[in-house]
Amino acid sequence: MSERKKLLFIVNPVAGKSAIKMHLLKVSEVFQQAGYDITLRVTLSGNDAEAFAGDCAGYDRIICSGGDGTLSEVVNGVVASGQKVPIGYIPCGTTNDFADTLGLSSNIRKAAEFAALGEPVLCDAGQFNGKCFTYTAAFGLFSEVSYITPQSIKGVIGRAAYLLNGAESILEVKPQHMRVSCGGRVYEDEFLFGMISNSKSIGGFKGLGGLSVELSDGLFEAVFVKMPRNVQELQLVLKAFMQRELKEEYGVYSLKSDNVTVEAFGDTPWTLDGDYGGAPARAEIRVLPGAVSYVANIDA
């Protein structure tokens, strides 16, 4: 009889609408049938998932249930531990942006089966002033919504619709004066929005960066939108995103890079994977190539 494998199962019980609570027995059966002995850890407060994942030595696989923020904590814990334990993900959060990029099912049982039986794939992670993030670091318009409201997707879509349907609303947003060093170039301007990402979906919007996304190419997609000075410039920005033509003449800088430095001339809050990431005067962001082993279906 072959020796059973060891699984660390990290559960955020309040993610989304707490759907995982109704499926714990079935999910546990799935893991047992896949040949795992299960160690269950339930998060009670912020950073619990990171602490649990940091103690991953000796486990054959980690599976976490929660939202993208829970997954981000798990990635931070695993990377800090120096282990390359494969990470499976059962998406139960509100937006589940990165789950979509990883090709995971929104059905809890199907996601559990894939997390237990699927093959791991090495993918890049990001590092923001020493802290890991899985799929996005952003500032400016929309970026703070996901950590201010519990139902982030509703907040993002609602605000996007409000702003995109009223030109004057965007023009009233306070711009961020930033100096951006990226891809061997330096941009200093008033920016409406900035994002460094490795995801096909951000805040429920697909293709927001306008660039092809490869999870293991050692590059992230960076997009910076200049603050429109008038309605005409705003129309160019909207045209750029609607037509996926992110061009400098439209007020949008879009490029791929393995490192980005952003200096802020003022208090500029960031969001990392949907959670508050602080407001540093200088943000050094770089790719960690192949840093994380995800159980993923990236061709889905």
Side-chain angles (χ1 to χ4, degrees):
M1 183 176 179
S2 61
E3 184 177 349
R4 292 179 66 82
K5 297 169 289 185
K6 295 181 65 178
L7 170 69
L8 176 59
F9 184 29
I10 299 174
V11 175
N12 178 348
V14 299
K17 296 182 179 179
S18 302
I20 190 62
K21 292 182 180 180
M22 300 174 59
H23 297 270
L24 274 177
L25 287 178
K26 291 182 180 179
V27 167
S28 297
E29 288 176 4
V30 167
F31 297 160
Q32 290 175 331
Q33 291 170 1
Y36 287 103
D37 286 333
I38 308 164
T39 299
L40 174 64
R41 294 285 185 267
V42 178
T43 65
L44 300 177
S45 60
N47 298 321
D48 278 356
E50 181 174 348
F52 296 151
D55 190 21
C56 62
Y59 288 98
D60 297 287
R61 184 164 295 196
I62 296 175
I63 297 177
C64 67
S65 170
D68 289 337
T70 303
L71 177 64
S72 184
E73 282 195 35
V74 169
V75 168
N76 269 275
V78 172
V79 171
S81 76
Q83 306 292 317
K84 276 286 181 73
V85 182
I87 300 172
Y89 180 29
I90 303 174
C92 294
T94 307
T95 55
N96 305 315
D97 277 323
F98 201 55
D100 184 65
T101 296
L102 294 176
L104 305 182
S105 174
S106 59
N107 179 282
I108 290 178
R109 185 180 182 90
K110 290 182 179 179
E113 290 173 348
F114 185 78
L117 299 171
E119 293 297 321
V121 178
L122 287 178
C123 296
D124 303 333
Q127 189 177 68
F128 180 94
N129 286 353
K131 179 179 175 60
C132 287
F133 64 93
T134 58
Y135 73 99
T136 186
F139 68 84
L141 186 67
F142 305 144
S143 62
E144 83 281 4
V145 175
S146 57
Y147 61 78
I148 287 177
T149 175
Q151 295 182 317
S152 58
I153 184 61
K154 292 182 180 179
V156 171
I157 289 178
R159 190 170 184 189
Y162 170 74
L163 291 173
L164 295 179
N165 285 319
E168 293 182 0
S169 299
I170 290 184
L171 296 177
E172 292 172 1
V173 173
K174 180 182 177 181
Q176 311 291 333
H177 185 183
M178 317 287 273
R179 181 186 294 122
V180 178
S181 302
C182 179
R185 300 182 64 180
V186 177
Y187 311 96
E188 183 173 340
D189 217 312
E190 303 286 326
F191 289 99
L192 180 70
F193 172 75
M195 175 182 70
I196 298 92
S197 68
N198 197 35
S199 179
K200 298 176 182 178
S201 174
I202 305 291
F205 294 99
K206 295 182 182 295
L208 185 60
L211 298 168
S212 61
V213 176
E214 299 291 339
L215 299 185
S216 56
D217 61 357
L219 299 170
F220 275 4
E221 291 67 50
V223 176
F224 298 93
V225 181
K226 292 173 59 176
M227 181 66 191
R229 293 172 295 182
N230 50 52
V231 173
Q232 289 72 29
E233 289 188 0
L234 172 60
Q235 290 174 342
L236 289 177
V237 170
L238 298 181
K239 177 182 178 181
F241 281 97
M242 291 177 66
Q243 298 184 358
R244 299 293 188 266
E245 296 181 0
L246 305 189
K247 301 178 180 179
E248 290 190 23
E249 57 261 40
Y250 294 162
V252 181
Y253 303 111
S254 178
L255 63 162
K256 290 176 176 283
S257 181
D258 62 356
N259 67 88
V260 181
T261 299
V262 180
E263 298 171 84
F265 297 86
D267 186 22
T268 303
W270 286 77
T271 177
L272 304 179
D273 297 335
D275 291 327
Y276 180 62
R282 179 183 176 91
E284 296 186 357
I285 305 157
R286 67 186 185 96
V287 175
L288 302 177
V292 186
S293 178
Y294 290 115
V295 182
N297 186 18
I298 58 177
D299 293 326

